[in-house]
C-alpha cells in the first residue's frame, strides 16, 4: 500500500498545479491577448456603458421592444433568503423550467401565455419557440417567425410603419453557416438596439 | 467411418417411464441447488403454491388463476428434471448391459506375486489388490485390469468393445494390457493386476455412462455462472418493480411478479443444460469412445490441430504395387509375369499386392512352373523372394539386395532402370527390382495408398479451421509425397515419440489445442500432453492411462468424429442459450401490458399479440415457457446438426435459426396458447 | 426531420471519425512507446516527474497493483476535492464570496467529479468559487478522464499480451494521458471556444444596465479552459447550472458542433487505438461499428420524437413545425439538440444543450436507456471501451458456442473465472439503478424532491440513479437532488458505478493477460464482421437493456401513450 501513496500524493499535487492552475491561467493569458472581446463575455456597450452581452438574452416587457422567449430563471427573494422568486433572464443563475411534456403546469403556463400572445400580437398559429421556455433561461435568440409575428405590434407601439420594422427584422435574421450549420434566428438584443437606433434617427 | 452402435429411440418407452419417476426424485432441493435457474423456479413455485392455498382458505384473490400458475411452474421444474432424467436414462440402459458382464468373478491368485510359478488359490475378484498376480486360463474371465507378465492368449473383448472377433494378447510390447471382464478363449496368461476393485476400466465405464460421477465441465460451469447472474439480474428487475409500480399506485400481485420472473430467467437453457452435457457423452459412447472426463469432450470441440498417424489412418496399413516399369528391351507384360512368379510365395501384403496388380491390370493367370518349383520365400535378412523352376531363376526384392544378387553395381545398370528407381523414390514410393537369371527386368513401384475420401475429409477439417498433421516414421521425401497426396497441412517425418511431444508442446505454446491418438507405451507422454488424447483399446495400459479418451474400436480415424461430437455439444449449448435469451423479448410484450393495464389502460398498445386478457396473457407466457423445455428435449439429446463448414457460416446459420427464431417463435407460440386458454375459459 | 438537419448530424459524425482515426493511431503509438528510449525534452520532463514521485516507469504492475494505485490515487483526489469544497470560503479566487459547501453536497460533488460523472447537485454560478472550479473541479476533469483511459489501456493489454502477469504501469499511463493527450487537445479546443465566444477571464461577474434599464448581472469566469476538458474528457460538469445550454458555455451552432465533436473524438479514437494495440485493427472498427449503429439509431429516434413536437402544446395553438422547443435553445435547433442528447448519454459525458426533463417522452426515453445500456456508444473515455469489451465478451460467450468451440475473444478463452467477474460487473447497474429508484419511489422524503407528477416523476427518479450509476451526470433537472438523501444515495451510486464495475473488470483483465492468445482460424468465432456487429448490437439491447424494460414501461413509455391520449399530471 505504501508504494502507492507517494506517487499518488506527488502526482496529484503536480498535476493539480498543472491542470488546475497553470492550464487555465495560461489559457486566460493567451485568450485575453488574442480574443479580448470574446474572453470577457462579448459585452455590448452603448455610450460607454455595458448594456449586456451579445450572447445573453434580456428580459423585455415593454411593447416597444421585441420580446425574447419565456425564461424560467429565478433569484433569491430579497425579502426571504430561503425562498426564490421568478427573475427572468437572471444571468447569474441560469436554469430551465424543467417541466415534463405531460406537466399540467406546463400546459397552464402555455395556455396563459397563448392568451397574452394573442392579445398582444394577434390571432393565428404561434411560433413554437415563442411560448416555450429556453433551456438556459438566457436564450438570446428567437425564431424569424416569432420576430416577424411581433413586428406589427412593435411597429404599432413605436408608431413606425410596419414595413420598416419588418425590413429591420429581415436584416437581422442570421442564416445558417454555409446554409448548413445552425438555425435561422434573430438576436433579440441586437434587433431591439437597432430598433432604438431607428427611432432615434 | 466407424460403426455406430444403435441408439435407443429418442423416447424409448422404458426410459421415459423410468425418467418420469426420476424427474420427481430430482425435485429434492439439495439436488436442484446445483442448477440455480431451476432452483429459483422451484422456490417460487412453492411460494405460489403456498399463496394459492392461502387464497383457498382465506378466500379472496384469484385461486383459479394462482392455482394454474402454480401447476405450470411445477411443470417447468419437472420438465427440466425430466430432461436430465431422460438423458441419464439412455446412459443407464447402456450401463446395465455392461454391468451384466461384471458378475462375480473368481480369480486364481498366486500366493507370492514375486514368484508366479508357485501356488495359487482361488479368491473373489473383489479381493484382488494392485500388484497381485493371477493366472487366467482358457474359458476364464479376466478378473481385473492388468498387465500380462507371461503367456500369449486369444482374448474375447466383446464385453468391452462389442467386437466378437478375438484378439491376441501377449506379454511385452504394445499388446500386453488386458481388461477385466474380458474372456480368455485359448491358452493362458499370467497377469499383474493394475486396478483396484471398483476402479477397473469397466467400473469406470459404468460410472461414466451412468453419469454418476458427472461434474460440471469448465464451459458448463461458466455458462451456469452466466445463467445464475442473469437470474439475479431479473430477480432485481422484478423485485424492484414492486416498488416502482407502487409509485403510480399499481399493486402487482406476487403471483404475477413470480410469473414475470420465471418467464424472464433463462429456464429453457437452465433446464436443458445438464441433459445436453450428458447427451454429448452419450453420443461419444455410441461411437464406442469413452471419455474419462467431460472436459475432454469440450476440448475436442476446440481442437486446432490433429496429429494423425500415417499408417492406418491416412494410408492403408501397407504399401501396394501400383505399376511395373520395365527396362528398354523388356516388355511390361514380361516384367509383370516375372514379378507375379517371384511373388507367389510372398505372403507379405506387398507381395500379395504385386500378385493382385499383375492379375488385375495385366490379366495374367497363375504361371505354370511344371514340376517341383523351388520356392524362395521372403526373408527379412535377404529381403528377396522368388522361384526357381524350369531353368528360370526369378527374384524380386529391395534394389540393393537384387543388385547384390545379380552382382551389378547401380552405376552399371541400364539408365532407364536408374531413372525408374529414382522416379519411384522421389515420388515417395518404394522401388523393388525384378531379375531373371541375373538380368534386370525392371522395377515395381510400391506405394503407400492413401485411403479414398480422406483428402475430402481433411479439406472439410480445414474449412472448420482444423489443421491436420501427419506423423510418420518415413523419410522426409516419402512423407512429403504422401502428405501432399493426402492433403494434410503438415507432417512430421522420421518421427520419434519425443518429436511428437516436442511438436505438441510447440503448438500448445502458440495457443493451439492438440488432439492425437496412440496405442504404444512410448506414445503415453504425448497422449498425456495432448489436450485430447485418444488411446486405442488394443493399446498398452500406460497409453490408456495417459489419454483422456479410449476408443474401443481402436480406429484412429475416429479422431475426426470425436472432434465433431465435441463441436456439436458446444453448438447445442450455445444455440439453446441464444434461443432462451431471445425468447425474453416476446415475454415482455405478453406480460408487461397485462401487469399495468389496470393503472394505465393505454399500455394496451404494447399488447402487440392482442392477447385475450391480462390473466390469459400471463398464463400463456408461463405455459409457453414450460412447454418449450419439453419441445426442445429432443434437440438437446440429439444435438444441433453439425456441418463441416467454417465458423462464419455456422454462426450465420445458427444465429438465424436460434437467434431470430428465438425472437419470433414465442410470439407465435404465446398467441396460440392464448387462443386455447381463452377458448377453454381457463383465464 | 429535415434534410439539412440530417446533413448536420452526418457532418459532425464524419468529422469526429475523421479526427478519431489519426488520434487512435497516435494513442496506440503513445502508449506502446518506451519512455526510457526517447530522450526528447518533454520525455525528460516526464522522467523527472516519475523520479520525483518515486515511480519506476519501466516496472509494470499486475492487475491488483494497478487497480490499487488507481484506487489510492482516486482516494487522495476525493479527499483533496472534499476539503477544497468544504473550505472554499477561506481560499482565494472567490470573487462572489461563496460560502463553503455542506458536507453531503461536498461528498456528492467530490465523488461526482472523481468518477467522471460530474453530476451537479449544485448550481455552478451560485455555489462554486473560481478556485473550486479550477483547482477543484477542472483538475478532476483531467484526472478522472486520464484514469478511465489508463484502465482501458490496462484492459487492452490483457488482450494484446500472452501469458503475462502485468498490465502496464498506472502512473505512467495516467501521466502520459494527461500530458500528451488531454492537455494539448484541451489547449487547442479552449482557444477555439474563446474565439467562438466562450469567456475566459478571472473576473467573477459584470453588471449591465439592460435596454429596459434593469440590472443584469452577467456571471463570468474561466470557462473556455474548463469547457474544453469537460467535453474532451466526457466529464460534462458545466461552469453553469444550465451547462452547455448556456450561451456563454455554448454560444452558437459552431461551438455546439465543436462540443459534440469534442465529446466523441477521444472515445471514438479509443477502439481504434485498441484495435491497433492488439494487432487486430478490424476488431477495433467492429466495436466502433456496433457503437455507431446504435448511436445513430438513438440520434434519429430523439430527432424524430422531438421534431414532431408535443401534441398537448399544439392543441393550444403552437405551431408544431419547430418541434418541441420547450427546454431548447433557438440557435441549436432540433437536429443538433437531438444529436447532443443522444451523444452525451451514449457517451458518459452528461453535458446538456437542452433540458432533458423537457424532452418528449420518447426523446427522454432514449438518453435514459442509453445510460442504462452502460454508456458504451461509444461511452466515456476509457469506460466506454471497457464497457464495450464486457459486452463483446458476453456476446462471444452466449453465441460463440454456436460455432462449436468454447468461447474466446481475440484468442483469449472466456472461462468460469472471467464469467464470474463479468457478471459481478454487469450486476452493478441494475442493482443500483433499480434498487435506489424503487426505494426512492416509496420514500416520502425522496418523493418530495420531484417537481413533476405522474409517470414523468418516476422518470426523474430513474434518470437520476441511471445517470449517477452510469457516471453520466446529466439529469431530469427539476428533481431537487441537493438533499441529504439524494446527495448520499447518488454519491454511493456513482462510486459503485465506477469502482464496483471496474474492479471486477480489472480482475478479469488480469486473468485474461495470463492466458495464451490462440491464433484465429477458419474455425474460430469471427468477431470483426457484420455478423458479429449485429450480434453485439442484439446482446447490448437484450442483455444490457431488457432488465430495465419494466421500469421504463412505467416511466417514459407509458408517458408517451398517455401524452398521445391527452392526459396531463
Amino acid at each position: 500500500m505504501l508504494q502507492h501513496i507517494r506517487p499518488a500524493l506527488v502526482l496529484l499535487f503536480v498535476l493539480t498545479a498543472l491542470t488546475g492552475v497553470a492550464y487555465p491561467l495560461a489559457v486566460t493569458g493567451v485568450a485575453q491577448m488574442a480574443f479580448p472581446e470574446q474572453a470577457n463575455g462579448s459585452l455590448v456597450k452603448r455610450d460607454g456603458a455595458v448594456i449586456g452581452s451579445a450572447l445573453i438574452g434580456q428580459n423585455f416587457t415593454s411593447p416597444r421592444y421585441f420580446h425574447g422567449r419565456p425564461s424560467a430563471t429565478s433569484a433569491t427573494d430579497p425579502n426571504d433568503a430561503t425562498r426564490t422568486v421568478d427573475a427572468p433572464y437572471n444571468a447569474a443563475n441560469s436554469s430551465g423550467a424543467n417541466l415534463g411534456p405531460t406537466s399540467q403546469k406546463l400546459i397552464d403556463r402555455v395556455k396563459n401565455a397563448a392568451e397574452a400572445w394573442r392579445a398582444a400580437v394577434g390571432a393565428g398559429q404561434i411560433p413554437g419557440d415563442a411560448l416555450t421556455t429556453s433551456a438556459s433561461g438566457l436564450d438570446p435568440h428567437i425564431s424569424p417567425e416569432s420576430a416577424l409575428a411581433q413586428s406589427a405590434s412593435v411597429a404599432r407601439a413605436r408608431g413606425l410603419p410596419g414595413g420598416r420594422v419588418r425590413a429591420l427584422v429581415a436584416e437581422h435574421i442570421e442564416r445558417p453557416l454555409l446554409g448548413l450549420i445552425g438555425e435561422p434566428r434573430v438576436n433579440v438584443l441586437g434587433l431591439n438596439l437597432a430598433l432604438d437606433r431607428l427611432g432615434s434617427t | 467411418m466407424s460403426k455406430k452402435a444403435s441408439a435407443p429411440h429418442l423416447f424409448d418407452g422404458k426410459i421415459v417411464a423410468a425418467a418420469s419417476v426420476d424427474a420427481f426424485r430430482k425435485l429434492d432441493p439439495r439436488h436442484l441447488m446445483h442448477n440455480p435457474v431451476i432452483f429459483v423456479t422451484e422456490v417460487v413455485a412453492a411460494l405460489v403454491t403456498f399463496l394459492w392455498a392461502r387464497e383457498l382458505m382465506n378466500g379472496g384473490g384469484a385461486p383459479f388463476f394462482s392455482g394454474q400458475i402454480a401447476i405450470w411452474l411445477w411443470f417447468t421444474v419437472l420438465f427440466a428434471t425430466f430432461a436430465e432424467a431422460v438423458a441419464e436414462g439412455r446412459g443407464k440402459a447402456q450401463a446395465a448391459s455392461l454391468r451384466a458382464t461384471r458378475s462375480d468373478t473368481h480369480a486364481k491368485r498366486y500366493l507370492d506375486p514375486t514368484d508366479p510359478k508357485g501356488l495359487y488359490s482361488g479368491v473373489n475378484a473383489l479381493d484382488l489388490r494392485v500388484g497381485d498376480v493371477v493366472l487366467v486360463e482358457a474359458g476364464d474371465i479376466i478378473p481385473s485390469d492388468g498387465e500380462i507378465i507371461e503367456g500369449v492368449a486369444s482374448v474375447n473383448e466383446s464385453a468391452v468393445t462389442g467386437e466378437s472377433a478375438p484378439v491376441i494378447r501377449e506379454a511385452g510390447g504394445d499388446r500386453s494390457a488386458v481388461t477385466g471382464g474380458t474372456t480368455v478363449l485359448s491358452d493362458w496368461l499370467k497377469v499383474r493386476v493394475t486396478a483396484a476393485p471398483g476402479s477397473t476400466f469397466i467400473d469406470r465405464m459404468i460410472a461414466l455412462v451412468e453419469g454418476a460421477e458427472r461434474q460440471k465441465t469448465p464451459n458448463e460451469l461458466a455458462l451456469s455462472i452466466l445463467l445464475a447472474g442473469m437470474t439475479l439480474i431479473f430477480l432485481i428487475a422484478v423485485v424492484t418493480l414492486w416498488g416502482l409500480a407502487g409509485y403510480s399506485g399499481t399493486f402487482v400481485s406476487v403471483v404475477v411478479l413470480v410469473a414475470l420472473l420465471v418467464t424472464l430467467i433463462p429456464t429453457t437453457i437452465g433446464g436443458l443444460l445438464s441433459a445436453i452435457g450428458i447427451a454429448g457423452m452419450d453420443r461419444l459412447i455410441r461411437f464406442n469412445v469413452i471419455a474419462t472426463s467431460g472436459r475432454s469432450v469440450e476440448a475436442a470441440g476446440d481442437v486446432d490441430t490433429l496429429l494423425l498417424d500415417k499408417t492406418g489412418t491416412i494410408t492403408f496399413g501397407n504399401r501396394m504395387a501400383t505399376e511395373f516399369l520395365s527396362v528398354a528391351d523388356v516388355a511390361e507384360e514380361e516384367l509383370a509375369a516375372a514379378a507375379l512368379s517371384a511373388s507367389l510365395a510372398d505372403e507379405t501384403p506387398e507381395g500379395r499386392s504385386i500378385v493382385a496388380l499383375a492379375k488385375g491390370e495385366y490379366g495374367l493367370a497363375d504361371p505354370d512352373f511344371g514340376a517341383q518349383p523351388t520356392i524362395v520365400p521372403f526373408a527379412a535378412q535377404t529381403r528377396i523372394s522368388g522361384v526357381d523352376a524350369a531353368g528360370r531363376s526369378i527374384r524380386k526384392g529391395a534394389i540393393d539386395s537384387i543388385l547384390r544378387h545379380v552382382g551389378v553395381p547401380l552405376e552399371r545398370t541400364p539408365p532407364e532402370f536408374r531413372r525408374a528407381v529414382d522416379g519411384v523414390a522421389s515420388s515417395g514410393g518404394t522401388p523393388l527390382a525384378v531379375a531373371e537369371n541375373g538380368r534386370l527386368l525392371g522395377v515395381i513401384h510400391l506405394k503407400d495408398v492413401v485411403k479414398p475420401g480422406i483428402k475430402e475429409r481433411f479439406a472439410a477439417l480445414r474449412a472448420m479451421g482444423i489443421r491436420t498433421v501427419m506423423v510418420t516414421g518415413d523419410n522426409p521425401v516419402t512423407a512429403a509425397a504422401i502428405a501432399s497426396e493426402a492433403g494434410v497441412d503438415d507432417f512430421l517425418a522420421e518421427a520419434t515419440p519425443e518429436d511428437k511431444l516436442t511438436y505438441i508442446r510447440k503448438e500448445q505454446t502458440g495457443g493451439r489445442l492438440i488432439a492425437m491418438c496412440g496405442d504404444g507405451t512410448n506414445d503415453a507422454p504425448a497422449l498425456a500432453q495432448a489436450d485430447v488424447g485418444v488411446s486405442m483399446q488394443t493399446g498398452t495400459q500406460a497409453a490408456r492411462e495417459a489419454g483422456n479418451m479410449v476408443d474401443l474400436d481402436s480406429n484412429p480415424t475416429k479422431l475426426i468424429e470425436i472432434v465433431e461430437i465435441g463441436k456439436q455439444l458446444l453448438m447445442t449449448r450455445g444455440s439453446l442459450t441464444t434461443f432462451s435469451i431471445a425468447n425474453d423479448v416476446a415475454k415482455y410484450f405478453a406480460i408487461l401490458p397485462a401487469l399495468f393495464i389496470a393503472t394505465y389502460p393505454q399500455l394496451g398498445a404494447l399488447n402487440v399479440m392482442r392477447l385475450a386478457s391480462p390473466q390469459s396473457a400471463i398464463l400463456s407466457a408461463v405455459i409457453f415457457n414450460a412447454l418449450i423445455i419439453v419441445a426442445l428435449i429432443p434437440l438437446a439429446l440429439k444435438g444441433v446438426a453439425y456441418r463441416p463448414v467454417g465458423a462464419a457460416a455456422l454462426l450465420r446459420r445458427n444465429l438465424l435459426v436460434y437467434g431470430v427464431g428465438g425472437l419470433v417463435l414465442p410470439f407465435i407460440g404465446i398467441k396460440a396458447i392464448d387462443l386455447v386458454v381463452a377458448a377453454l375459459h381457463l383465464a | 426531420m429535415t434534410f439539412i438537419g440530417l446533413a448536420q448530424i452526418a457532418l459532425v459524425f464524419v468529422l469526429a471519425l475523421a479526427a478519431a482515426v489519426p488520434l487512435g493511431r497516435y494513442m496506440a503509438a503513445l502508449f506502446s512507446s518506451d519512455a526510457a528510449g526517447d530522450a526528447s525534452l518533454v520525455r525528460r520532463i516526464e522522467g523527472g516527474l516519475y523520479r520525483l514521485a518515486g515511480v519506476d516507469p519501466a516496472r509494470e504492475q499486475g492487475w491488483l497493483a494497478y487497480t490499487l494505485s488507481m484506487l489510492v490515487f482516486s482516494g487522495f483526489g476525493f479527499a483533496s476535492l472534499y476539503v477544497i469544497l468544504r473550505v472554499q470560503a477561506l481560499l482565494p479566487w472567490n470573487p462572489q464570496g461563496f460560502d463553503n459547501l455542506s458536507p453531503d453536497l461536498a461528498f456528492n460533488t467530490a465523488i461526482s467529479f472523481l468518477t467522471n460523472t460530474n453530476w451537479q447537485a449544485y448550481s455552478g454560478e451560485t455555489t462554486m468559487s473560481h478556485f473550486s472550479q479550477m483547482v477543484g473541479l477542472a483538475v478532476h476533469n483531467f484526472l478522472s478522464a486520464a484514469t478511465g483511459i489508463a484502465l482501458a489501456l490496462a484492459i487492452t493489454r490483457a488482450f494484446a499480451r500472452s501469458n503475462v502477469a502485468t498490465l502496464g504501469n498506472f502512473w505512467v499511463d495516467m501521466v502520459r494521458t494527461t500530458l500528451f493527450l488531454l492537455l494539448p487537445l484541451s489547449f487547442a479546443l479552449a482557444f477555439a471556444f474563446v474565439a467562438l465566444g466562450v469567456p475566459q477571464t478571472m473576473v467573477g461577474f459584470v453588471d449591465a444596465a439592460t435596454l429596459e434599464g434593469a440590472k443584469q448581472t452577467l456571471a463570468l469566469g474561466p470557462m473556455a479552459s474548463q469547457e474544453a476538458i469537460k467535453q474532451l474528457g466526457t466529464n460534462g460538469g458545466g461552469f453553469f447550472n444550465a451547462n452547455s445550454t448556456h450561451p456563454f458555455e455554448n454560444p452558437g451552432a459552431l461551438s455546439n458542433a465543436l462540443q459534440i465533436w469534442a465529446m466523441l473524438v477521444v472515445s471514438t479514437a479509443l477502439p481504434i487505438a485498441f484495435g491497433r494495440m492488439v494487432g487486430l485493427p478490424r476488431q477495433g472498427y467492429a466495436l466502433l461499428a456496433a457503437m455507431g449503429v446504435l448511436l445513430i439509431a438513438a440520434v434519429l429516434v430523439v430527432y424524430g420524437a422531438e421534431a414532431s413536437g408535443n401534441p398537448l402544446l399544439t392543441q393550444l395553438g403552437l405551431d408544431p413545425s419547430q418541434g418541441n422547443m420547450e427546454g431548447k435553445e433557438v440557435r441549436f435547433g432540433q437536429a443538433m439538440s437531438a444529436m447532443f442528447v443522444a451523444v452525451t448519454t451514449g457517451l458518459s459525458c452528461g453535458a446538456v444543450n437542452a433540458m432533458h426533463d423537457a424532452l418528449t417522452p420518447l426523446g427522454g426515453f432514449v438518453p435514459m436507456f442509453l445510460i442504462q445500456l452502460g454508456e458504451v456508444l461509444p461511452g466515456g473515455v476509457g469506460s466506454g471501451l471497457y464497457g464495450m469489451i464486457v459486452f463483446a465478451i458476453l456476446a462471444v460467450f452466449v453465441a460463440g458456442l454456436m460455432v462449436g468451440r468454447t468461447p474466446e475473444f481475440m484468442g483469449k478463452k472466456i472461462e468460469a473465472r472471467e464469467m464470474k467477474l463479468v457478471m459481478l460487473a454487469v450486476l452493478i447497474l441494475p442493482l443500483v439503478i433499480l434498487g435506489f429508484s424503487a426505494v426512492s419511489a416509496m420514500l416520502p422524503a425522496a418523493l418530495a424532491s420531484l417537481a413533476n407528477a405522474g409517470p414523468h416523476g418516476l422518470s426523474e427518479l430513474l434518470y437520476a440513479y441511471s445517470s449517477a450509476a452510469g457516471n453520466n451526470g446529466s439529469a431530469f433537472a427539476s428533481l431537487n437532488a441537493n438533499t441529504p438523501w439524494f446527495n448520499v444515495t447518488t454519491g454511493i451510486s456513482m462510486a459503485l458505478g465506477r469502482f464496483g464495475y471496474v474492479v471486477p473488470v480489472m480482475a478479469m483483465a488480469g486473468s485474461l493477460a495470463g492466458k495464451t492468445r490462440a491464433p484465429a482460424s477458419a474455425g474460430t468465432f469471427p468477431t470483426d464482421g457484420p455478423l458479429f456487429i449485429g450480434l453485439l448490437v442484439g446482446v447490448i439491447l437484450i442483455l444490457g437493456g431488457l432488465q430495465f424494460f419494466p421500469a421504463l414501461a412505467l416511466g417514459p413509455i407509458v408517458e408517451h401513450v398517455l401524452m398521445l391520449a391527452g392526459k396531463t399530471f
Side-chain angles (χ1 to χ4, degrees), chain B residues 247 301-302 304 464 510-511 588 647 654, chain C residues 402 404-406 454 457 518-519 522-523 546:
Chain B
Y247 167 86
D302 283 350
D304 299 284
M464 289 153 55
Y588 267 126
N654 288 333
Chain C
M402 285 198 292
R405 286 173 70 95
T406 57
L546 222 49

Side-chain angles (χ1 to χ4, degrees), chain B residues 219 222-223 226 233 237 240 247 301-302 304 463-465 509-511 567 570-571 574-575 584 588 592 600 602 647 654-655, chain C residues 394 397 401-407 413 416 419 427 434 438 454 457-458 516 518-519 521-524 531 546-547 549 558 562:
Chain B
N219 173 260
L223 188 53
L226 173 80
I233 288 175
T240 53
Y247 167 86
D302 283 350
D304 299 284
M464 289 153 55
T509 338
K567 287 196 176 295
L570 296 173
M571 276 169 50
S575 300
D584 279 3
Y588 267 126
L592 276 190
Y600 298 123
Q602 294 86 349
N654 288 333
L655 210 50
Chain C
L394 276 175
F397 191 82
L401 285 168
M402 285 198 292
V403 304
R405 286 173 70 95
T406 57
K413 284 248 176 281
M419 252 2 249
L427 264 173
L434 295 173
L458 190 66
T516 306
S521 75
T524 48
L531 202 61
L546 222 49
Q547 64 264 34
F549 204 62
V558 75
L562 292 173

Side-chain angles (χ1 to χ4, degrees), chain B residues 491-510:
Chain B
F491 63 86
L492 262 184
E494 291 170 351
T496 62
E498 292 72 40
D499 290 341
K500 276 198 210 178
L501 191 61
T502 317
Y503 192 89
I504 292 175
R505 289 218 171 107
K506 191 188 84 196
E507 290 280 293
Q508 284 174 334
T509 338

Side-chain angles (χ1 to χ4, degrees), chain A residues 38-114:
Chain A
Q38 294 95 318
N40 291 309
S42 309
L43 300 178
V44 180
K45 292 181 182 163
R46 189 164 67 176
D47 310 329
V50 175
I51 58 160
S53 163
L55 299 177
I56 303 291
Q58 296 190 355
N59 191 26
F60 292 100
T61 52
S62 154
R64 291 171 49 81
Y65 284 119
F66 284 89
H67 289 190
R69 302 178 61 196
S71 163
T73 56
S74 59
T76 312
D77 189 339
N79 305 318
D80 180 354
T82 63
R83 300 167 58 115
T84 57
V85 290
D86 287 349
Y89 290 92
N90 178 358
N93 191 11
S94 59
S95 166
N98 285 317
L99 293 176
T102 56
S103 160
Q104 188 59 47
K105 267 192 228 161
L106 171 72
I107 306 300
D108 293 344
R109 192 198 78 208
V110 173
K111 197 184 275 172
N112 293 336

